[in-house]
Amino acid sequence: MFGTGWNTVRGMPVGFWLLLVWLPAFVSPLYFHIAETERKCFIEEIPDETMVTGNYKVQLYDPRTNGFAPSSPGIGMHVEIRDPDDKIILSKVYSSEGKWTFTSHTPGEHVICLYSNSTKWFSGTQLRVHLDIQVGEHAIDYANVAQKEKLSELQLRVRQLLDQVEQITKEQNYQRYREERFRQTSESTNQRVLWWSLGQTCILVVMGAWQMRHLKSFFEAKKLV
Amino acid sequence: MMWPVGLRSGSKRWWGWSMALIWGWWCLSGWTLAVELTFELPDNAKECFYEVIEKGTESTLEFQVVTGGQYDVDVVLTDPRQAVLYKQVKKQYDSHTFTADITGEYQACFSNEFSTFSHKLVYIDFQVGDEAPLPGMGDHLTAMTQMETSSQEVHENLNAIIDYQTHHRLRETQGRKSGEYLNERVMIWSIFVTGAILIVGFGQVLVLKSFFSERKPVQLYGYN
């Protein structure tokens, strides 16, 4: 990244300042380890029309230094996002560092799966994945908004409050939808218990009557009765 | 970031230190993180999440088991020296706030190793430091105006509302998933029991008939 012709480090003008500017693009400090062939999924239960942003960075385990290489450009990560109806919203391979965004169109559980595009059959080396997922108003970059729309501090604050209130409203709506689903499930259970109990009682009675009739005719045929 | 080719090991060490300094400066300049993740913990599995925390930062780890088994999980939070800061066995929900006393990698591990067949869905919220102020709001040298203070308060209250909504949603998800599971089980077991009734009913008749249908005539009065 800094060029192969760089021999000295003491005089560090360009690279140092580049780093200072570039570092804020780096992703979150939260990370976890997965095997190279392992698939890791996260579930986001969100209302509809909600934006979800994810940042990730992958590092490959380097056995020589017994640590993780600072950057591993060779690996790619496959990001697959499914909506509550199990339809694929996003399925793309990104490089070792990536940022993805999607907006939900149905409320419910969205599943975000990450796995490396390694072609090995059994688990190879360990991968360190830095991940940051932000939902709804947390996904909005207010610095960007302030700059683009030239908002003053108070205006920006009001915009933030508006976004938060909108998110709260969506969540309340979603809550109503979930509660209705729960009610439907409970009513369905009630129906099922009722009809199956009745059905089973009927079957028992009919079975008993049939048994008696059949055996009676059997014994009569055998001349035992 | 690639190491520049042709770097001597001594300069590499110096470079490493300057990187750590930059990283430290950047971390202290107020950028914080709150990550909420919901993940599946299969049976007999253990998942760990790591976070590099600066000394003196107040952090909160919150978790809740959403579905699965007895809704419990083992949690262990360790500091960079591998000392256990917080440990819970078979806990359903908790929130732990701690202040980092050294800078380094903190590890939060969730274990489902005690369970043989129920996989769990766990929600975690790892918040490091305070929420970053809005751009432009943080660097006030004068006191905030009434408007700014009020709007700040409204913002904090809305944060609390969103937080309560999340907790409510998680608790409600527990009930709802349990209800859906019950619904499925009622169906499966009803079919199974009906099948058993039919099989036993016909089976009884067949077995009884077979007692009376042997080749040898049945000795009704016994014989010596």
Side-chain angles (χ1 to χ4, degrees):
Chain A
M1 185 162 186
F2 301 111
T4 56
W6 192 359
N7 288 319
T8 167
V9 173
R10 305 285 165 168
M12 40 153 194
V14 178
F16 181 81
W17 301 118
L18 253 178
L19 215 57
L20 227 52
V21 165
W22 179 81
L23 257 183
F26 174 67
V27 289
S28 81
L30 181 85
Y31 55 89
F32 51 91
H33 297 141
I34 56 169
E36 221 172 310
T37 48
E38 198 183 324
R39 190 187 159 110
K40 194 89 162 97
C41 291
F42 295 97
I43 297 166
E44 288 295 330
E45 195 170 353
I46 46 179
D48 59 348
E49 307 307 324
T50 304
M51 187 168 80
V52 178
T53 304
N55 282 306
Y56 76 85
K57 176 175 162 152
V58 176
Q59 291 174 319
L60 195 60
Y61 178 71
D62 190 0
R64 290 171 298 165
T65 58
N66 205 30
F68 287 83
S71 106
S72 321
I75 345 167
M77 278 298 259
H78 195 113
V79 177
E80 187 183 272
I81 303 176
R82 291 174 174 273
D83 74 349
D85 304 319
D86 225 13
K87 219 167 41 145
I88 296 182
I89 309 180
L90 181 78
S91 179
K92 233 173 103 168
V93 181
Y94 292 87
S95 67
S96 64
E97 247 181 85
K99 180 176 167 136
W100 40 264
T101 305
F102 74 93
T103 305
S104 61
H105 296 294
T106 12
E109 281 184 0
H110 291 71
V111 183
I112 299 162
C113 286
L114 299 166
Y115 50 99
S116 76
N117 63 351
S118 158
T119 45
K120 297 211 175 91
W121 279 100
F122 48 90
S123 52
T125 42
Q126 284 264 301
L127 292 173
R128 174 176 286 183
V129 183
H130 296 251
L131 184 65
D132 175 20
I133 299 180
Q134 298 294 338
V135 175
E137 56 98 19
H138 292 296
I140 301 174
D141 180 10
Y142 285 105
N144 204 11
V145 169
Q147 206 180 30
K148 241 185 2 183
E149 304 187 19
K150 314 259 185 300
L151 298 174
S152 75
E153 288 172 14
L154 209 55
Q155 287 173 329
L156 189 66
R157 173 65 91 194
V158 169
R159 167 65 64 87
Q160 188 189 37
L161 294 177
L162 282 173
D163 289 330
Q164 280 190 303
V165 165
E166 197 182 322
Q167 190 187 342
I168 290 172
T169 314
K170 279 192 212 152
E171 183 80 28
Q172 294 286 67
N173 253 335
Y174 181 38
Q175 155 69 12
R176 217 157 23 120
Y177 164 86
R178 284 197 315 268
E179 187 264 336
E180 189 185 321
R181 245 184 62 190
F182 188 14
R183 205 161 12 100
Q184 279 173 353
T185 307
S186 302
E187 280 174 10
S188 160
T189 307
N190 189 29
Q191 291 285 317
R192 282 181 185 180
V193 163
L194 179 69
W195 289 115
W196 277 104
S197 305
L198 275 176
Q200 281 170 357
T201 312
C202 279
I203 289 177
L204 261 176
V205 167
V206 164
M207 176 67 76
W210 173 82
Q211 275 182 335
M212 291 304 109
R213 214 169 47 110
H214 189 83
L215 284 174
K216 185 170 174 211
S217 67
F218 173 71
F219 285 140
E220 277 170 355
K222 287 271 175 185
K223 302 204 176 21
L224 293 168
V225 181
Chain B
M1 301 172 295
M2 305 262 268
W3 296 115
V5 174
L7 205 50
R8 293 168 310 210
S9 62
S11 341
K12 202 182 220 173
R13 212 178 312 130
W14 181 89
W15 182 247
W17 276 113
S18 68
M19 290 289 291
L21 271 170
I22 297 165
W23 168 242
W25 161 84
W26 181 56
C27 271
L28 287 170
S29 59
W31 186 81
T32 59
L33 174 77
V35 179
E36 293 179 336
L37 291 174
T38 308
F39 61 95
E40 194 172 298
L41 196 58
D43 43 304
N44 288 319
K46 181 170 162 166
E47 298 284 349
C48 290
F49 293 91
Y50 308 85
E51 179 116 20
V52 176
I53 304 179
E54 294 292 312
K55 175 175 171 165
T57 315
E58 193 182 82
S59 312
T60 307
L61 172 70
E62 191 186 319
F63 67 94
Q64 182 160 357
V65 182
V66 181
T67 64
Q70 300 292 317
Y71 304 102
D72 50 5
V73 74
D74 293 343
V75 189
V76 177
L77 179 65
T78 43
D79 74 354
R81 285 173 294 210
Q82 302 302 317
V84 173
L85 292 176
Y86 170 75
K87 184 182 163 94
Q88 292 287 336
V89 175
K90 297 198 177 175
K91 196 85 158 92
Q92 199 264 312
Y93 154 79
D94 204 7
S95 170
H96 177 74
T97 309
F98 63 98
T99 308
D101 51 354
I102 45 167
T103 303
E105 179 190 272
Y106 286 74
Q107 180 184 357
C109 285
F110 298 88
S111 162
N112 195 20
E113 281 154 342
F114 55 83
S115 169
T116 36
F117 51 79
S118 52
H119 59 250
K120 312 250 161 87
L121 208 67
V122 181
Y123 159 87
I124 63 166
D125 181 6
F126 206 147
Q127 175 136 11
V128 175
D130 297 321
E131 188 192 350
L134 265 192
M137 290 274 195
D139 33 72
H140 267 231
L141 298 170
T142 60
M144 292 200 287
T145 67
Q146 183 74 5
M147 273 293 254
E148 284 166 359
T149 321
S150 305
S151 66
Q152 170 89 4
E153 214 175 298
V154 172
H155 174 65
E156 278 164 15
N157 284 330
L158 289 180
N159 275 341
I161 293 174
I162 292 177
D163 209 28
Y164 289 141
Q165 274 188 329
T166 305
H167 289 148
H168 181 238
R169 187 190 73 219
L170 291 171
R171 271 198 302 274
E172 184 264 339
T173 303
Q174 264 186 359
R176 186 165 40 91
K177 291 229 181 261
S178 172
E180 283 170 6
Y181 184 50
L182 181 69
N183 194 28
E184 252 182 66
R185 266 193 307 181
V186 160
M187 182 66 134
I188 291 171
W189 278 101
S190 301
I191 293 174
F192 182 73
V193 169
T194 309
I197 292 175
L198 290 170
I199 291 171
V200 168
F202 288 125
Q204 275 180 334
V205 165
L206 280 172
V207 169
L208 210 58
K209 276 164 80 165
S210 77
F211 286 155
F212 293 99
S213 311
E214 289 185 51
R215 295 298 151 106
K216 305 194 303 233
V218 175
Q219 306 293 325
L220 276 176
Y221 302 105
Y223 73 106
N224 335 342

